[in-house]
Amino acid sequence: MRKPIIAGNWKMNGSRSSIKELLEGIKAGMGDVKSAEVVVCAPAIYMADVSEQLSGSNVAWGGQNLSTEAKGAFTGETSADMLLDFKSEYVIVGHSERRTLYGETDELVAEKFEVARKAGLTPILCIGESLEERESGVTIDVCARQINAVIEKSGVKALAEGVIAYEPIWAIGTGVTATPEQAQETHAAIRKMIAEKDASVAEQVRIQYGGSMNAGNAKELLAMEDIDGGLIGGASLKAEDFLAICTAPA
Ligand code: PGA
């Protein structure tokens, strides 16, 4: 049985005071969260605040990106050890914004997955197709290519040590969500593609859906057989909305 995992991806949003209020709100509502694991992925600069406010709670935290390097002359980067220093447990790798705006390739993302995993962080590997790719019928090929880069680098068993977030790019921040059927179809195809290499990894690995998931549509999406949680952007910035998603899994 895969435990649903709901992760907030705050992106480059928030301030010390708004984050304090958000986390107080989330913590206050966690008693109603019965079956999901809850994570927030914060901007690196706020990791100290987040770790202080969440330590001892049942909300885990993580970064939104990491360097493949351990340390040294890499201005502006954050290492796995720095995330671990603040007790982060998770890190997002290969978010579509990193891939499209910062030129991260499948190979670089696979390397980040490997560095995170080896350091003891749980990587949340984002994959997903653009609208053009969906319309030309290559959705599963794109997802398979992105996952295969990780399998080539780390081996198929490594996938079970991370989480996959299927995020169709056309649904991110647009208010257009994949229908539960559309998302389920792709999630099932991703799981099948992994099962062809290793059935037990396919059975274990959690595949989140991301892309305009919100308080209104979460229940239906999370009810689908192969959707094991959500990666939430906009709706993770308000405690009430985020908690409504965290309490949605049956
Ligand atoms: P969204 O973002 O929920 O605002 O669409 C999701 C994501 O990019 O992880």
Side-chain angles (χ1 to χ4, degrees), residues 9 11 95 97 167 171-174 210-213 231-235:
N9 173 14
K11 309 191 181 185
H95 190 277
E97 285 148 22
E167 300 203 300
I172 296 177
T174 57
S212 300
M213 194 189 270
L231 184 58
I232 321 297

Side-chain angles (χ1 to χ4, degrees), residues 87-160:
K87 308 277 188 293
S88 307
E89 290 179 56
Y90 291 85
V91 64
I92 297 172
V93 297
H95 190 277
S96 66
E97 285 148 22
R98 300 292 324 167
R99 293 179 189 261
T100 59
L101 303 173
Y102 299 96
E104 295 196 3
T105 60
D106 293 341
E107 290 66 35
L108 179 67
V109 173
E111 172 114 31
K112 290 187 173 193
F113 185 99
E114 177 71 355
V115 167
R117 183 181 74 86
K118 283 217 165 130
L121 290 159
T122 300
I124 300 176
L125 170 70
C126 298
I127 60 168
E129 82 288 1
S130 65
L131 184 58
E132 204 184 349
E133 288 164 337
R134 170 157 288 260
E135 284 172 349
S136 47
V138 295
T139 295
I140 190 61
D141 303 318
V142 171
C143 295
R145 191 196 73 220
Q146 291 168 332
I147 292 175
N148 279 331
V150 171
I151 295 176
E152 264 162 45
K153 174 139 222 95
S154 307
V156 64
K157 298 260 184 252
L159 282 182

Side-chain angles (χ1 to χ4, degrees), residues 12 19 51 121 152 201 207 210 241:
M12 196 172 72
I19 286 171
S51 75
L121 290 159
E152 264 162 45
V201 168
I207 309 177
D241 293 353

Side-chain angles (χ1 to χ4, degrees), residues 178-181 183-184 213-225 227 248-249:
T179 63
E181 294 71 28
Q184 166 60 26
M213 194 189 270
N214 58 39
N217 59 29
K219 214 175 183 64
E220 267 192 308
L221 284 160
L222 293 167
M224 305 310 280
E225 191 182 340
I227 301 183

